[in-house]
Amino acid sequence: MNEVDGLVSRILEREKRAIARGLTWVERDSEDGKALVRALFPLAGKAHIVGITGAPGVGKSTLVNSLTLELRRRGARVGILAVDPSSPFSGGAILGDRIRMQESVMDDGVFMRSLASRGHLGGLSRATFGAVTLMDAAGFDVILIETVGAGQSEVEIMQLAHSTMVVLAPGLGDDIQAIKAGILEIGQIFVVNKADRDGADHTARAIRGMLTLGMQHLDWFPPIVKTVAEHGEGLGELIGSLEKHREYLSQSGELALIRDGQTAHVIQLAMEDWVDREFRRVKAGAGWDALRQQVASGARDAAEVALEMLRSLTEGDNNGS
Amino acid sequence: MIRVLVAKPGLDGHDRGAKVIARALRDAGMEVVYTGLHQTPEQIVDAALQEDVDVLALSILSGAHPTLVPRIMELVRSNHMDDMLVLLGGIIPDDDVESMEQAGVARVFGPGTDTQDIVQYIRERVSEHE
C-alpha cells in the first residue's frame, strides 16, 4: 500500500504527473486503483461537479473550452473529463475532444483527461466515478464531465454530477425528438448553443414549453441559456446559472444527499470488489467442483451455498479492505 | 490498454496521414488521443503528460523536424517521461533518421509504411500492463 500512499500525497500536491498516473490506475481498475479511490474519497466532496451532455455536434467540447476559460478568469481551478465511445469491434477508441480544447488546457490551473467508454453504456466510462473523486481530492474547484454524444438514454451523468447541463443547438433535427423524456428530465440547465443561428429562439421556446408541461412541481425550474461557445458569448450567464444551482443544492440539502449516495456507492464498490475477489479464490479452490455439482443436480440451493460461502469467508481472514 | 497520442507539431497543412495512423491504431484496439493540427512542442508534451500515454506518435511533413523533435524530447526528459515510446512519421529524409534517433526517437516510419508494421512495433515495445 506504500505506493498508493505515496501517490495520494503527490496528488494532493496537485502534481500533474501523479494525477495522470492515478487516473491510469483508476481506469485500469487495478487493486491499487481501487485502493487509491478509497483513500481519496474522504478528501473529496468540495468540488462542483458539472455534467455536460447532448447530441453529437451541438458543440459540447467547444462549450467546455470556453466555459473553462471563463472559470479560469474567475480564479477557479478546472478539471475536465471527456468521455468518447470505444469501438465495440476492436475495443480501441479515438479521443478527439482535445482538438476543441486547445486554448483552455495549456494552463496549470486546468487538467484534462480523455476517457474511453470501454464498453460501458450510459454515456460515461466505468472509471468516471473514481476519476472525479481523484480530481475532487486534488483540489479542482469545478470538474466538467463531458459525456459521449448522448441520445435519449445516457442519463447516468445525473447520478454523478451535481449540475447537469443539456446542450442543444438550433436546427438539429426535430425539436421534440431532441428533448424527449430522458434527456429533458436530467437537465438542470439547458443550453441552446450556436445561438447566433436561425431558430435559436424557437428551440429555446420549445424547451420552455416542454419544461412547463412537466415540471411545475419542482423547486428548481431549469434555466435556458443561449450561448455562442465559439465566441464566448453567454458564458457569464451560464456560470451564473451554475452558481445559482449549486446554491440551491446546498440550501435544499440535496448536495448532502448526493454525497451520502456517493458514500454508499464507495462502500458498495468495495463490497463488490471483495466478493468478486473471494469468489474467484473459491472457484480456484479444492471444494469447488463438489459444490458446483451439488447445485447443478439440485441437491442444494444456490442461494444457500452462496450464503454458506460468505459466512466461511467472513470467519476466515477478512482483510478485504 | 495501450494509449497513444498522435500529434502534429508545427505548421503542416494537412493531417491525412496522422488520421490514417490514428484509425489503424484504434482498429488494433488502442486508445488514440488526437489533438489536431498546429501543435507546439509544449502543447504536445503537456497533452501526453495529462493523458499518461504509453506512446507519442509524431507526424511531421514540413521539414521542421530538426528543430521540433529535439525540443519535444527535451520537454519529455524534463518532465521525467522517459518511459514513453516516441515514434516519428511523415517526411523525414534518410539522412536525418540517425539524428532523430539520437535525439530520443525510438523509430522513424517513412511514407509507405504498412500501418500493421507500426501496430506490431508498438505492441512489441509496450509491455501491456495487465
Side-chain angles (χ1 to χ4, degrees), chain A residues 165-178:
Chain A
M165 279 183 216
V166 174
V167 188
L168 301 102
L172 264 186
D174 175 45
D175 293 321
I176 303 303
Q177 184 68 19

Side-chain angles (χ1 to χ4, degrees), chain A residues 1 4 29-36 38 273 277 280:
Chain A
M1 282 300 154
V4 174
D29 206 22
S30 62
E31 290 304 321
D32 281 348
K34 289 167 185 167
L36 185 68
R38 290 197 298 268
D273 289 341
R277 196 168 52 235
R280 266 181 282 138

Side-chain angles (χ1 to χ4, degrees), chain A residues 72-92:
Chain A
R72 285 300 295 145
R73 240 172 256 133
R74 298 166 185 226
R77 290 174 181 278
V78 184
I80 304 166
L81 295 167
V83 187
D84 274 320
S86 296
S87 158
F89 302 106
S90 71

Side-chain angles (χ1 to χ4, degrees), chain B residues 51-115:
Chain B
E51 298 288 352
D52 197 23
V53 290
D54 306 291
V55 182
L56 171 58
L58 299 166
S59 160
I60 305 175
L61 307 170
S62 64
H65 54 279
T67 49
L68 290 169
V69 171
R71 176 67 187 141
I72 288 169
M73 294 314 300
E74 189 185 314
L75 291 164
V76 165
R77 276 187 288 273
S78 66
N79 281 291
H80 310 290
M81 297 159 68
D82 308 83
D83 54 343
M84 181 175 67
L85 185 70
V86 181
L87 308 178
L88 176 61
I91 299 171
I92 312 297
D94 289 346
D95 290 348
D96 291 349
V97 170
E98 201 185 323
S99 65
M100 290 294 101
E101 288 175 352
Q102 272 167 3
V105 171
R107 178 92 179 256
V108 177
F109 291 98
T113 303
D114 186 338
T115 53

Side-chain angles (χ1 to χ4, degrees), chain A:
Chain A
M1 282 300 154
N2 268 339
E3 221 187 328
V4 174
D5 292 341
L7 198 60
V8 166
S9 57
R10 287 168 60 206
I11 287 169
L12 296 182
E13 283 162 25
R14 267 191 224 108
E15 195 194 311
K16 264 190 183 179
R17 188 149 171 70
I19 294 170
R21 191 47 54 91
L23 289 170
T24 300
W25 285 12
V26 169
E27 276 211 281
R28 278 187 202 140
D29 206 22
S30 62
E31 290 304 321
D32 281 348
K34 289 167 185 167
L36 185 68
V37 174
R38 290 197 298 268
L40 290 171
F41 182 75
L43 305 164
K46 294 180 282 289
H48 187 188
I49 302 165
V50 177
I52 295 111
T53 190
V58 295
K60 291 188 295 294
S61 298
T62 310
L63 187 69
V64 168
N65 184 57
S66 46
L67 190 57
T68 302
L69 290 171
E70 187 59 35
L71 286 164
R72 285 300 295 145
R73 240 172 256 133
R74 298 166 185 226
R77 290 174 181 278
V78 184
I80 304 166
L81 295 167
V83 187
D84 274 320
S86 296
S87 158
F89 302 106
S90 71
I94 292 190
L95 310 169
D97 293 309
R98 274 185 179 269
I99 296 172
R100 288 180 189 78
M101 297 183 194
Q102 295 300 339
E103 289 170 87
S104 59
V105 293
M106 276 304 287
D107 173 344
D108 275 341
V110 179
F111 191 103
M112 190 257 180
R113 181 65 167 250
S114 315
L115 301 173
S117 62
R118 298 194 180 177
H120 187 80
L121 301 174
L124 299 177
S125 84
R126 232 183 94 82
T128 313
F129 173 76
V132 168
T133 302
L134 191 156
M135 283 188 159
D136 189 340
F140 291 99
D141 302 299
V142 180
I143 298 167
L144 305 175
I145 308 168
E146 182 189 335
T147 73
V148 303
Q152 285 111 19
S153 63
E154 285 83 351
V155 296
E156 198 179 44
I157 187 66
M158 193 176 78
Q159 288 149 12
L160 186 58
H162 298 144
S163 310
T164 300
M165 279 183 216
V166 174
V167 188
L168 301 102
L172 264 186
D174 175 45
D175 293 321
I176 303 303
Q177 184 68 19
I179 51 180
K180 262 186 186 162
I183 206 125
L184 188 74
E185 283 159 22
I186 65 170
Q188 282 113 12
I189 296 168
F190 286 82
V191 179
V192 180
N193 191 34
K194 307 187 185 183
D196 51 346
R197 295 193 182 175
D198 285 349
D201 288 328
H202 178 75
T203 303
R205 269 198 307 275
I207 300 165
R208 194 177 307 281
M210 294 288 283
L211 288 173
T212 314
L213 278 176
M215 298 195 157
Q216 296 97 330
H217 58 288
L218 290 185
D219 301 331
W220 173 262
F221 191 88
I224 299 159
V225 182
K226 283 188 274 184
T227 60
V228 185
E230 214 181 336
H231 307 306
E233 286 168 32
L235 271 300
E237 192 190 339
L238 183 55
I239 290 176
S241 296
L242 277 171
E243 284 168 351
K244 252 184 250 162
H245 187 246
R246 165 100 171 164
E247 182 81 17
Y248 159 79
L249 289 176
S250 172
Q251 283 179 356
S252 66
E254 278 184 54
L255 203 59
L257 286 178
I258 292 170
R259 178 77 179 164
D260 289 351
Q262 288 174 345
T263 309
H265 184 62
V266 167
I267 298 170
Q268 190 182 347
L269 277 181
M271 189 159 103
E272 285 169 3
D273 289 341
W274 182 78
V275 169
D276 195 51
R277 196 168 52 235
E278 293 304 320
F279 186 57
R280 266 181 282 138
R281 211 176 62 181
V282 170
K283 277 204 310 197
W288 174 246
D289 279 343
L291 266 182
R292 186 169 44 79
Q293 277 160 18
Q294 284 168 0
V295 173
S297 67
R300 295 187 68 191
D301 177 68
E304 179 196 314
V305 169
L307 190 62
E308 188 184 293
M309 272 164 57
L310 272 178
R311 284 209 177 105
S312 74
L313 290 171
T314 49
E315 281 161 17
D317 93 56
N318 58 354
N319 60 349
S321 60

